[in-house]
Amino acid sequence: MKFSENWLRSLVNIEVASTQLHEQITMLGLEVDDILPVAGTFDQVVVGEVVSANQHPNADKLRVTKVNIGQDELVDIVCGAPNCRSGIKVAVALVGATLPGEFKIKSAKLRGEPSEGMLCSYSELGISDDHNGIIELPLDAPIGMDLRKYLDLDDNIIEISVTPNRADANSLLGISRDVAAYYNVPISMPKIDKTVATISDTKIINLLAPEACPIYLGRIIKNIDMTASTPIWLKERLRRSGIRSIDPIVDITNYVLIELGQPMHAFDFDSLEGSINVRLALENETITLLDGNQVKLDKDVLVIADDKKALAMAGIFGGLDSGVTSKTRTIFLESAFFSPLAITGRARRYGLHTDASYRYERGVDPKLAAIAMDRATQLITEICGGEVSDILTAVDETKTPAQPLITLRYERLEKLLGYTIDSSLIAPILTRLGCEVSSISSDAHAIAWQVKAPSWRFDMSIEEDLIEEVARIHGYDKIQSANILSELVIRNQPESTLKLENAKQTLINRGYFEAITYSFVDPKIQSLIHPNEASEILPHPISVEMSAMRLSLLPGLLTTAQYNQNRQQTRLRLFEFGLCFIPDANEELKVKQKPVLAGVLTGMRYPEHWSFDKSHADYFDAKGDVEAILSLTGRKDEVRFEVSTKSFLHPGQSAEIFIGENQVGFVGVLHPLLEKKLDLNSKTMVFQLDWECINNCIIPSPQELSKFPANRRDIAIIVNKCVSSQKILQICKDVGEKQLVDVNLFDVYDGKGIAEGDKSLAISLVLQERHRTLTEEEISETVNACIMALKQQVAASLRE
């Protein structure tokens, strides 16, 4: 929201410095983002009149002018602006003037002709970027008057951030209310007289969607002069609010929008056929908007229509067929209240963003429509003339928002604020904000008030809202600082629960960086990773690329990896902890939120260094990182990896991860085709773990170390290549039971002497008893039992 400081001061007369006013606006909760001077620094620039403008004898693009600046003699000035001509009022920089950028005006000769000054453009005075020609002032501008004074250029443009709950602050009136309430001064609004009708013309208005539009007002204004010029004061106030002047009707509706906060729209009355109908769009209905684009309207879009066609998207954008043009002589002026829910999301759906939709989405005062209608009518008749009808009204009182009644307890206010405000100040503060306040208890120990919120404050609905308002207007700076007294309470953290911080630190120690990505992702990328899996689609996404809720963390992590690779980061280790959103009809909101830990790694195995191996990371690096995390659970012996069939992973270089019988995640190399589609530059490994399945730890229990010697026996077996080494080791563990304290695969061979399709595995078996020394017979018996089990279960044979 941009506005002129002088405009604000014309509504609230306060004798405070600009810096203090800017700081106070921020302290009122309307954060000041920027403060800019209205114009550059210049002096000795006055209003002048071009008396004559003749062609320069020695230059085709220059004119020799004589300019009246209110002195005894005319001033000769050479000008090259294309719009320089006799009879116009201009801005004249006199000899000795200093313009923005320390540019000094001196007497000179241009192509042999004397020039005693300069005719200025807006850009040369630092007022705007317009440098297409010199400034043309209104014909009634007083000759010789200082331009800064005439245009009121000793002013600032204030830009504030308005939070979504403060819809009322999207207008000068709303900001003035807060400033006036803080300084306890009245608001000096322009006098708005109720317009007296001079014609009896009428139009039927039908409210066919009262839930979306319970209040619709119209007025017919005939015989307007569209050739009239918008007054310079109105143009300047619009410019300082960031709005370009278009024509007097549009300028006036924009002015009322900034001043009062009420969006308005004017239709060419002669283009209307029959009644005005406020309804929802029909099946396959289309409209050509003012920007020339034709759109197909959804059935939940509210439109203003006549009996033949849609005229406008209500509260969003007008239609081309009914738009006001230079030939318009009669207008139908609209002022309405549209329900925020009827407008929210519709503009974004069609790629539109207008000042009207911005305000209607947040809420407009339902009592403002009639006031704004009279204000706009007053300005139109003053500037463009015309004859006006009565206000044509269509209202459904049952659908109009009610002003809530709220009980405010002084005891509750003190408790929440943590400091004491004199109870006699509470009612006046709320009254200055527009509330209707009545005392319902005067007991010293139970003071309370009944408060009726003003119609323009949609954010006042509960007691805490009123407490916030009291603190805001009383002044946050008046709250004394105090040390917080609190007891430190040790959280009950079960030892059997794996701490997320420990898992994160494990990955950080292994060279990973934590990433945080959006929960909504590009559905095209998600469909590549999770084909044929349904996802939750946002009804009003920020963009198409962020319209689907993620089914895993991989879309965000892989997109981040691609982003980094495109910026010459070739070695990446990233992890993320977050929620995935799985459609589930059995859940309350039809979506299951699942916390997961995921990672992506690519590039060299080690950072570049002369002492490090320069090999590329592979599946086993990712598997090692996953095993490091799972080892924190104390269930390392229960973990097993089985061949994965996921389509986005490389077959033969990926695995599903199990703890016992529960699948807890996956790890593997990304499929080469997917790497190509995602434009990844090198082999990429990914993993993901279901946090709820892995955060249950085994509590370690101390055991007495055996005092008796351990015995190691090595065996070499030959098995088919399709048999996993993990299964071999598990068979040995199952057979060895308590005697087998360690089993390890220390060699794999499939070369000469081994049949094609087979492999040789060398396994070490370490046997030990806690309370006695094992005999050679017992050791041999256990080893033979392992060999026999391997032969029976996986058709293994001893290698000779």
Side-chain angles (χ1 to χ4, degrees):
M1 171 72 183
K2 290 183 180 179
F3 58 91
S4 157
E5 180 180 328
N6 285 353
W7 191 2
L8 176 64
R9 288 179 180 273
S10 72
L11 302 179
V12 185
N13 185 17
I14 48 174
E15 298 296 330
V16 298
S18 291
T19 53
Q20 184 180 344
L21 174 61
H22 304 157
E23 290 173 2
Q24 193 54 56
I25 291 173
T26 294
M27 291 302 293
L28 287 169
L30 307 174
E31 183 179 0
V32 175
D33 282 343
D34 204 0
I35 304 166
L36 297 172
V38 165
T41 303
F42 64 84
D43 57 17
Q44 299 187 56
V45 179
V46 300
V47 176
E49 180 181 15
V50 179
V51 176
S52 65
N54 300 316
Q55 183 66 46
H56 193 293
N58 302 317
D60 294 338
K61 295 185 178 180
L62 297 179
R63 290 179 177 83
V64 179
T65 69
K66 287 189 177 295
V67 182
N68 179 9
I69 58 171
Q71 297 180 358
D72 295 337
E73 297 182 359
L74 300 179
V75 178
D76 293 322
I77 298 177
V78 176
C79 179
N83 63 329
C84 180
R85 62 191 185 278
S86 63
I88 64 172
K89 296 286 183 71
V90 293
V92 184
L94 307 178
V95 173
T98 302
L99 303 188
E102 294 297 319
F103 181 70
K104 296 185 181 298
I105 303 300
K106 301 177 181 178
S107 296
K109 279 194 174 184
L110 298 178
R111 299 288 183 93
E113 295 294 325
S115 184
E116 302 293 327
M118 175 179 170
L119 305 186
C120 303
S121 68
Y122 281 110
S123 64
E124 289 164 337
L125 298 181
I127 297 176
S128 73
D129 295 331
D130 184 2
H131 56 271
N132 293 325
I134 57 176
I135 300 172
E136 293 189 40
L137 299 172
L139 296 178
D140 61 355
I143 295 173
M145 185 176 182
D146 186 285
L147 188 73
R148 296 194 75 92
K149 184 176 180 181
Y150 177 68
L151 292 180
D152 191 22
L153 296 179
D154 293 322
D155 187 13
N156 293 311
I157 297 173
I158 302 175
E159 183 174 3
I160 64 173
S161 290
V162 181
T163 52
N165 64 308
R166 287 301 309 277
D168 63 298
N170 287 304
S171 67
L172 259 295
L173 176 59
I175 298 166
S176 299
R177 287 190 184 112
D178 274 9
V179 175
Y182 178 80
Y183 288 104
N184 195 13
V185 296
I187 298 177
S188 303
M189 285 299 295
K191 185 179 180 182
I192 303 174
D193 296 322
K194 191 170 182 63
T195 307
V196 178
T198 56
I199 58 175
S200 58
D201 297 49
T202 187
K203 198 80 168 171
I204 296 174
I205 301 174
N206 299 312
L207 289 184
L208 303 180
E211 295 85 359
C213 176
I215 302 173
Y216 190 91
L217 309 182
R219 169 169 270 160
I220 301 167
I221 306 179
K222 298 176 68 174
N223 299 322
I224 60 172
D225 180 11
M226 287 298 292
T227 63
S229 296
T230 302
I232 190 70
W233 64 267
L234 196 151
K235 282 184 178 180
E236 276 297 296
R237 285 185 171 180
L238 288 179
R239 182 184 69 79
R240 296 172 200 187
S241 299
I243 298 176
R244 180 174 57 89
S245 175
I246 298 175
D247 62 53
I249 299 299
V250 174
D251 291 349
I252 288 167
T253 56
N254 283 334
Y255 184 84
V256 173
L257 174 74
I258 299 299
E259 183 182 53
L260 302 180
Q262 174 66 52
M264 302 184 73
H265 186 68
F267 299 95
D268 187 328
F269 184 79
D270 294 331
S271 69
L272 308 182
E273 302 177 83
S275 306
I276 295 294
N277 303 300
V278 185
R279 58 171 173 78
L280 296 175
L282 305 176
E283 187 78 31
N284 297 322
E285 188 169 19
T286 61
I287 184 174
T288 302
L289 302 175
L290 283 170
D291 59 6
N293 291 324
Q294 186 180 67
V295 297
K296 182 180 178 181
L297 301 172
D298 295 332
K299 290 192 292 184
D300 64 342
V301 174
L302 188 69
V303 298
I304 310 301
D306 59 19
D307 291 340
K308 297 291 183 66
K309 60 187 178 300
L311 304 173
M313 294 174 67
I316 300 175
F317 218 68
L320 183 63
D321 295 338
S322 60
V324 173
T325 68
S326 59
K327 298 179 181 179
T328 299
R329 292 294 172 265
T330 303
I331 64 170
F332 180 81
L333 193 60
E334 167 196 280
S335 183
F337 171 76
F338 299 118
S339 170
L341 292 178
I343 307 299
T344 300
R346 274 58 166 192
R348 184 185 300 167
R349 186 187 305 172
Y350 293 95
L352 303 172
H353 180 77
T354 62
D355 290 332
S357 67
Y358 177 82
R359 285 163 174 79
Y360 276 127
E361 286 179 344
R362 287 154 179 78
V364 174
D365 181 3
K367 294 185 178 180
L368 189 60
I371 299 171
M373 180 66 79
D374 281 329
R375 177 60 167 156
T377 303
Q378 181 185 50
L379 292 170
I380 290 172
T381 53
E382 287 177 2
I383 297 170
C384 304
E387 304 167 81
V388 302
S389 72
D390 282 321
I391 296 179
L392 310 175
T393 305
V395 177
D396 187 335
E397 295 286 354
T398 63
K399 301 297 189 298
T400 303
Q403 296 167 244
L405 283 172
I406 311 165
T407 299
L408 173 60
R409 297 163 294 167
Y410 184 69
E411 180 185 13
R412 178 66 173 165
L413 182 143
E414 277 197 318
K415 182 177 180 181
L416 286 188
L417 294 186
Y419 77 108
T420 300
I421 298 177
D422 190 336
S423 61
S424 65
L425 300 177
I426 307 302
I429 286 175
L430 294 173
T431 301
R432 296 202 300 268
L433 287 169
C435 299
E436 297 177 21
V437 185
S438 58
S439 178
I440 58 174
S441 173
S442 57
D443 188 291
H445 301 288
I447 303 172
W449 300 268
Q450 189 79 43
V451 181
K452 187 176 184 180
S455 58
W456 57 84
R457 290 300 297 271
F458 289 84
D459 59 321
M460 287 190 191
S461 57
I462 59 175
E463 187 176 22
E464 286 73 15
D465 295 331
L466 299 180
I467 295 171
E468 179 185 5
E469 292 301 300
V470 171
R472 191 170 64 89
I473 300 303
H474 183 66
Y476 292 127
D477 55 332
K478 296 177 183 176
I479 301 176
Q480 297 179 353
S481 60
N483 295 326
I484 297 176
L485 300 177
S486 62
E487 295 181 359
L488 294 177
V489 180
I490 298 176
R491 288 191 306 166
N492 182 15
Q493 178 70 43
E495 190 178 354
S496 61
T497 300
L498 175 61
K499 293 182 180 179
L500 178 61
E501 292 79 5
N502 292 350
K504 288 184 176 182
Q505 193 59 51
T506 297
L507 289 170
I508 291 170
N509 293 342
R510 299 175 76 88
Y512 282 76
F513 290 90
E514 184 172 8
I516 300 175
T517 64
Y518 286 103
S519 297
F520 18 91
V521 298
D522 190 335
K524 293 182 180 178
I525 294 178
Q526 181 148 274
S527 64
L528 293 175
I529 301 171
H530 303 283
N532 304 320
E533 292 186 45
S535 61
E536 191 73 16
I537 302 298
L538 299 176
H540 307 297
I542 296 173
S543 66
V544 176
E545 291 76 18
M546 303 175 75
S547 60
M549 300 303 291
R550 63 189 180 192
L551 297 171
S552 72
L553 302 186
L554 297 188
L557 285 173
L558 291 174
T559 301
T560 304
Q562 179 203 50
Y563 180 90
N564 280 270
Q565 285 185 348
N566 291 341
R567 284 152 183 80
Q568 301 178 321
Q569 301 300 312
T570 57
R571 184 177 185 273
L572 296 171
R573 303 289 189 278
L574 300 172
F575 77 90
E576 180 177 9
F577 178 84
L579 293 174
C580 297
F581 304 88
I582 316 299
D584 188 341
N586 297 322
E587 294 290 326
E588 182 179 356
L589 299 176
K590 309 302 181 186
V591 175
K592 180 180 180 181
Q593 300 184 66
K594 184 172 73 171
V596 298
L597 178 66
V600 57
L601 62 154
T602 186
M604 304 302 291
R605 176 171 284 117
Y606 304 109
E608 188 174 7
H609 191 268
W610 62 269
S611 64
F612 287 160
D613 179 17
K614 293 182 174 55
S615 59
H616 196 287
D618 58 21
Y619 163 78
F620 294 102
D621 293 285
K623 182 173 180 284
D625 295 335
V626 170
E627 288 178 325
I629 297 170
L630 296 178
S631 66
L632 300 174
T633 67
R635 298 177 179 275
K636 187 176 180 181
D637 292 341
E638 299 178 39
V639 176
R640 71 178 192 276
F641 294 81
E642 296 186 1
V643 176
S644 174
T645 58
K646 293 187 181 297
S647 62
F648 62 88
L649 295 178
H650 195 303
Q653 298 184 47
S654 58
E656 305 287 347
I657 306 169
F658 290 81
I659 295 181
E661 298 302 319
N662 298 320
Q663 184 177 337
V664 299
F666 58 83
V667 60
V669 179
L670 213 60
H671 198 289
L673 292 178
L674 183 56
E675 285 179 356
K676 185 176 181 180
K677 290 178 180 178
L678 294 177
D679 198 24
L680 295 169
N681 300 333
S682 59
K683 180 187 286 189
T684 304
M685 280 62 66
V686 296
F687 65 84
Q688 181 167 292
L689 298 170
D690 187 337
W691 185 253
E692 292 179 342
C693 294
I694 69 168
N695 70 343
N696 186 19
C697 303
I698 293 179
I699 300 175
S701 57
Q703 293 183 359
E704 183 182 355
L705 295 175
S706 176
K707 300 177 181 179
F708 298 95
N711 297 272
R712 169 170 169 161
R713 296 290 186 272
D714 295 342
I715 60 174
I717 61 172
I718 298 174
V719 294
N720 192 281
K721 284 185 176 181
C722 66
V723 179
S724 69
S725 58
Q726 187 174 32
K727 187 171 184 179
I728 299 291
L729 299 178
Q730 189 60 48
I731 292 172
C732 294
K733 290 177 184 178
D734 294 341
V735 172
E737 295 182 347
K738 294 182 179 180
Q739 286 186 359
L740 191 64
V741 295
D742 190 25
V743 57
N744 183 48
L745 173 68
F746 65 87
D747 186 45
V748 178
Y749 175 72
D750 62 355
K752 186 178 179 181
I754 304 299
E756 186 176 352
D758 289 344
K759 60 183 177 182
S760 172
L761 304 179
I763 302 169
S764 65
L765 305 173
V766 179
L767 298 95
Q768 187 181 37
E769 272 284 0
R770 185 174 299 173
H771 304 295
R772 62 185 177 86
T773 301
L774 289 172
T775 64
E776 186 62 34
E777 291 79 7
E778 290 174 323
I779 295 171
S780 297
E781 184 180 348
T782 301
V783 172
N784 290 333
C786 290
I787 295 171
M788 183 60 65
L790 292 171
K791 181 178 180 180
Q792 293 174 350
Q793 296 184 38
V794 295
S797 61
L798 280 176
R799 181 180 173 187
E800 297 178 357

